[in-house]
C-alpha cells in the first residue's frame, strides 16, 4: 500500500511547475490502472503492514477516490484557462487524495480518525478558495462546525476503546462487543453527520451550492462515503447496543429521506436539487447499515460506489450548463435540448441512473437495501415506496425542466459540448454501468 502513497506524494513537485495541469491528471489515471491490478483477497485484509491494509471496502473506495480526483482536474479546465491559481488547485487536490487514501487504508483506529478529519481541510480550501459566491465563507463555517462538533466525542470514544482493548487495530475489533450507550453515541454520531443523516444534513446543500464543480464532485463522491465506511468499520464492536437503538436511526433516515425527496421538487437551483437527492439516497444507505444484516451491508457498499459516480456526473452536467449560461437557476436553464442537443442524452443517462434504472450500480444497491429493510420490518415498505417513487419523480422533474420547454431568449447561440466534457461524462457513466457485470466482488466480501 505504501508504494501508491509514495506515488501520490511524488506528484506534489509537479504542482510547482508551469503547465503541468494535464500531466498530474495523466499520472492519476496511470496510478488508477496500477491500483486496479492489485492482487486482493476478497474475504479478508490483504497487502497488510503495521499501519496500512486493504480489504474490499477500502479497495473500492480508494479506486473511487483516485478516479474522481482525476476527473475533478478534467472538469476544472476553466481554472487552467484563466490561470486562476491552478497550481495551488492541483496541490490541494493531491493533498485531498493523500488524506482520502490514508483514511481508507489505515488499520489503526486513531490514525483513521486523524485522516478522516484531516480530509476536511483541503475540502474547505476548495470551497472558500474557488467557490462562486461570497456566501461560501458561511458554507465553509457550516461544514466546519457540523463536523467538528461531533468530532471530539469520536476521539474520546477511540481513546476509551484503546484503554479497554490495549490496541487500536481495526482487525481486532470483531472480538469485542461493547454494550455502552455513551460510547455508541459518541462513535456513531460523527459518521452520521458526515453521511449526512436527516437533521444533520443542513451543511451539505449549503456547501454544494457554494463549492466549485471540483468541490461538489469530491463532496458528493467521497466525503459522504467516509461516514458509511466508518459505520461499516465501527458497528462490528457495537452490535448488542445497535440492536436496541438502531431502530431510531432507521426511522429518522427513512422518514427524513421521504421528506427530502419531496423537498427536491421545491428547489430552483440545479446543484441544490442534486445535493438534496444525495441526502435522500444516503438515508437509505444509513437504514441498510443500521439493520445490520448481510443484504444491508452489501447494498450500502454498492450504492455508495454507484452514487459516488452518478452524483459526481450530475454535478458535472450542471456545471456544463452553468459555464454556458452563467446561472444554475431552473428558470433560466430551460429548453437546453435546442441549445445543446447531444448533451441532452447525457442528462437522460445520468437521470435514469439516479432513479436506479438498470443496468446501473444504483439499482443493484437499492434492491439489496430494500431487501434488507423489508426483511427487518415490513412497515419500512411504506417509506421506501415513497422514497423510490419520488426519486424517479425529481429525476424526471429535473430532466424535463432543463431539457424541454421554451428556451431563454438570452441564449441566442448554438454551442454544444467539447470533447473533454463528453469524455469526462463517459468516464463517469461507464464504470457506473459496467461494474454490474463484476457484482460478485461486492456481494461476497463480508
Amino acid at each position: 500500500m505504501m508504494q501508491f502513497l509514495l506515488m501520490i506524494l511524488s506528484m506534489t513537485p509537479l504542482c510547482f511547475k508551469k503547465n503541468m495541469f494535464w500531466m498530474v491528471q495523466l499520472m492519476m489515471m496511470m496510478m488508477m490502472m496500477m491500483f486496479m491490478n492489485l492482487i486482493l483477497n476478497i474475504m479478508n485484509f490483504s497487502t497488510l503492514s503495521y499501519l496500512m491494509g486493504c480489504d474490499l471496502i477500502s479497495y473500492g473506495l480508494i479506486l473511487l477516490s483516485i478516479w474522481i480526483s482525476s476527473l475533478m482536474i478534467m472538469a476544472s479546465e476553466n481554472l487552467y484557462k484563466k490561470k486562476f491559481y491552478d497550481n495551488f488547485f492541483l496541490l490541494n487536490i493531491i493533498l485531498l487524495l493523500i488524506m482520502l487514501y490514508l483514511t481508507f487504508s489505515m488499520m489503526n483506529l486513531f490514525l483513521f480518525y486523524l485522516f478522516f478529519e484531516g480530509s476536511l481541510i483541503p475540502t474547505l480550501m476548495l470551497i472558500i478558495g474557488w467557490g462562486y459566491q461570497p456566501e461560501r465563507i458561511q458554507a465553509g463555517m457550516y461544514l466546519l462546525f457540523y463536523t467538528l462538533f461531533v468530532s471530539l466525542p469520536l476521539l474520546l470514544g477511540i481513546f476509551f476503546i484503546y484503554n479497554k482493548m490495549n490496541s487500536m487495530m481495526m482487525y481486532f475489533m470483531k472480538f469485542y462487543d461493547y454494550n455502552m450507550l455513551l460510547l455508541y453515541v459518541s462513535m456513531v454520531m460523527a459518521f452520521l453527520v458526515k453521511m449526512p443523516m436527516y437533521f444533520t444534513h443542513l451543511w451539505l446543500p449549503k456547501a454544494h451550492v457554494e463549492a466549485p464543480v471540483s468541490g461538489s464532485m469530491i463532496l458528493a463522491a467521497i466525503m459522504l462515503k467516509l461516514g458509511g465506511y466508518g459505520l461499516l468499520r465501527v458497528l462490528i464492536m457495537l452490535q448488542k447496543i445497535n440492536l436496541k437503538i438502531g431502530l431510531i436511526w432507521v426511522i429518522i433516515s427513512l422518514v427524513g429521506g421521504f421528506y427530502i425527496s419531496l423537498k427536491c421538487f421545491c428547489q430552483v437551483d440545479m446543484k441544490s436539487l442534486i445535493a438534496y437527492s444525495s441526502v435522500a439516497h444516503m438515508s437509505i444507505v444509513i437504514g441498510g447499515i443500521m439493520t445490520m444484516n448481510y443484504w444491508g451491508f452489501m447494498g450500502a457498499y454498492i450504492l455508495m460506489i454507484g452514487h459516488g459516480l452518478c452524483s459526481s456526473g450530475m454535478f458535472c452536467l450542471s456545471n456544463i450548463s452553468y459555464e454556458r449560461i452563467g446561472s444554475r437557476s431552473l428558470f433560466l436553464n430551460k429548453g437546453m435540448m435546442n441549445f445543446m442537443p447531444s448533451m441532452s442524452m447525457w442528462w437522460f443517462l445520468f437521470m435514469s441512473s439516479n432513479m436506479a434504472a438498470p443496468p446501473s450500480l444504483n439499482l443493484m444497491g437499492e434492491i439489496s437495501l430494500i431487501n434488507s429493510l423489508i426483511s427487518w420490518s415490513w412497515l419500512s415498505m411504506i417509506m421506501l415506496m415513497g422514497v423510490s417513487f419520488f426519486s424517479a419523480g425529481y429525476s424526471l422533474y429535473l430532466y424535463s425542466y432543463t431539457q424541454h420547454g421554451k428556451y431563454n431568449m438570452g441564449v441566442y447561440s448554438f454551442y454544444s459540448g467539447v470533447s473533454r466534457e463528453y469524455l469526462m461524462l463517459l468516464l463517469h457513466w461507464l464504470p457506473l454501468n459496467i461494474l454490474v457485470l463484476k457484482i460478485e466482488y461486492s456481494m461476497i466480501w463480508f
Side-chain angles (χ1 to χ4, degrees):
M1 296 299 285
M2 189 60 86
Q3 67 264 38
F4 291 104
L5 179 63
L6 290 173
M7 186 168 176
I8 308 174
L9 283 168
S10 68
M11 289 184 210
T12 41
L14 292 175
C15 302
F16 301 105
K17 288 181 73 63
K18 283 187 176 173
N19 300 329
M20 280 292 169
F21 199 74
W22 300 119
M23 186 67 192
V24 174
Q25 195 218 359
L26 283 171
M27 281 189 73
M28 279 186 185
M29 289 280 190
M30 194 167 76
M31 183 177 147
M32 167 85 187
M33 294 306 165
M34 287 162 67
F35 196 80
M36 279 168 83
N37 289 328
L38 204 64
I39 298 166
L40 204 69
N41 178 358
I42 293 181
M43 303 301 281
N44 236 319
F45 283 98
S46 52
T47 62
L48 276 167
S49 67
Y50 284 114
L51 282 181
M52 301 166 90
C54 182
D55 72 341
L56 206 80
I57 323 174
S58 319
Y59 178 71
L61 288 167
I62 289 172
L63 271 182
L64 186 66
S65 306
I66 303 170
W67 192 240
I68 295 293
S69 299
S70 65
L71 291 175
M72 277 161 70
I73 298 175
M74 210 170 189
S76 308
E77 197 207 20
N78 235 1
L79 298 180
Y80 180 60
K81 272 186 186 166
K82 292 178 179 171
K83 293 281 178 254
F84 185 56
Y85 299 105
D86 49 317
N87 285 19
F88 182 44
F89 173 77
L90 284 179
L91 184 66
N92 214 342
I93 286 184
I94 288 173
L95 286 176
L96 187 52
L97 184 57
I98 290 170
M99 290 292 184
L100 291 170
Y101 181 80
L102 287 168
T103 309
F104 292 130
S105 61
M106 273 301 154
M107 294 295 294
N108 185 312
L109 203 55
F110 173 69
L111 287 172
F112 162 72
Y113 164 82
L114 200 70
F115 296 117
F116 173 78
E117 294 300 333
S119 60
L120 189 72
I121 299 162
T123 317
L124 197 68
M125 284 160 77
L126 272 177
I127 292 173
I128 291 175
W130 288 272
Y132 296 127
Q133 281 108 347
E135 288 88 19
R136 62 182 184 264
I137 310 289
Q138 187 197 5
M141 296 308 276
Y142 265 63
L143 176 67
L144 209 58
F145 278 98
Y146 265 93
T147 317
L148 293 183
F149 182 71
V150 285
S151 167
L152 182 66
L154 174 62
L155 183 63
L156 295 175
I158 289 170
F159 286 156
F160 176 81
I161 286 164
Y162 178 59
N163 198 22
K164 291 283 184 194
M165 274 171 54
N166 289 322
S167 164
M168 286 202 220
M169 284 312 226
M170 286 185 185
Y171 191 74
F172 299 135
M173 294 200 300
K174 63 183 179 186
F175 302 120
Y176 292 84
D177 197 357
Y178 297 107
N179 198 357
M180 302 173 187
L181 177 63
L182 209 59
L183 176 69
Y184 175 76
V185 172
S186 68
M187 294 295 284
V188 164
M189 271 315 286
F191 301 126
L192 288 178
V193 168
K194 204 77 162 185
M195 281 290 278
M197 183 181 69
Y198 186 68
F199 289 134
T200 58
H201 70 283
L202 203 63
W203 61 271
L204 186 77
K206 266 201 175 321
H208 270 309
V209 169
E210 303 307 327
V213 59
S214 51
S216 283
M217 284 166 72
I218 203 77
L219 262 174
I222 317 291
M223 288 302 167
L224 306 189
K225 314 303 175 273
L226 285 171
Y229 175 77
L231 281 177
L232 287 172
R233 288 279 188 242
V234 161
L235 280 183
I236 293 169
M237 59 178 176
L238 298 165
Q239 292 181 21
K240 273 196 191 113
I241 183 102
N242 194 47
L243 288 173
K244 301 172 196 167
I245 300 176
L247 169 76
I248 299 168
W249 309 127
V250 177
I251 291 171
I252 289 174
S253 54
L254 283 179
V255 176
F258 176 68
Y259 176 65
I260 288 279
S261 301
L262 291 176
K263 201 162 167 46
C264 282
F265 290 101
C266 312
Q267 301 305 314
V268 289
D269 184 318
M270 283 197 285
K271 254 192 178 179
S272 185
L273 199 154
I274 301 166
Y276 274 113
S277 83
S278 288
V279 181
H281 283 301
M282 285 295 115
S283 67
I284 308 179
V285 171
I286 295 173
I289 292 174
M290 288 302 172
T291 54
M292 280 209 316
N293 57 22
Y294 186 69
W295 281 98
F297 273 30
M298 289 185 311
Y301 172 62
I302 296 167
L303 191 61
M304 283 196 299
I305 303 274
H307 172 265
L309 292 161
C310 181
S311 196
S312 175
M314 279 155 56
F315 280 115
C316 286
L317 278 166
S318 75
N319 184 64
I320 288 167
S321 296
Y322 175 71
E323 282 177 358
R324 307 289 189 274
I325 288 180
S327 168
R328 290 191 309 258
S329 166
L330 284 175
F331 301 125
L332 295 179
N333 285 286
K334 276 184 171 179
M336 298 295 283
M337 203 179 262
N338 306 314
F339 179 51
M340 302 170 74
S342 32
M343 205 53 85
S344 196
M345 181 190 80
W346 286 107
W347 271 98
F348 175 74
L349 289 173
F350 278 102
M351 287 305 148
S352 62
S353 293
N354 194 43
M355 64 169 99
S360 66
L361 279 177
N362 295 32
L363 176 76
M364 197 70 217
E366 278 193 28
I367 288 174
S368 194
L369 287 167
I370 288 169
N371 220 336
S372 96
L373 280 159
I374 290 175
S375 66
W376 176 78
S377 161
W378 65 269
L379 282 169
S380 61
M381 203 187 300
I382 304 161
M383 281 301 161
L384 280 170
M385 279 158 58
V387 173
S388 299
F389 177 75
F390 286 116
S391 95
Y394 58 70
S395 300
L396 286 171
Y397 164 73
L398 179 56
Y399 175 75
S400 56
Y401 214 102
T402 50
Q403 302 305 309
H404 297 161
K406 192 166 168 48
Y407 60 91
N408 179 12
M409 284 303 178
V411 185
Y412 54 85
S413 65
F414 169 84
Y415 180 22
S416 202
V418 291
S419 55
R420 171 186 59 87
E421 289 165 345
Y422 290 120
L423 177 64
M424 178 175 67
L425 293 169
L426 184 72
L427 292 178
H428 275 110
W429 187 83
L430 267 184
L432 176 62
N433 290 274
I434 297 291
L435 282 176
V436 179
L437 302 175
K438 295 300 285 179
I439 206 72
E440 70 269 22
Y441 279 115
S442 319
M443 282 295 196
I444 51 177
W445 56 265
F446 196 64

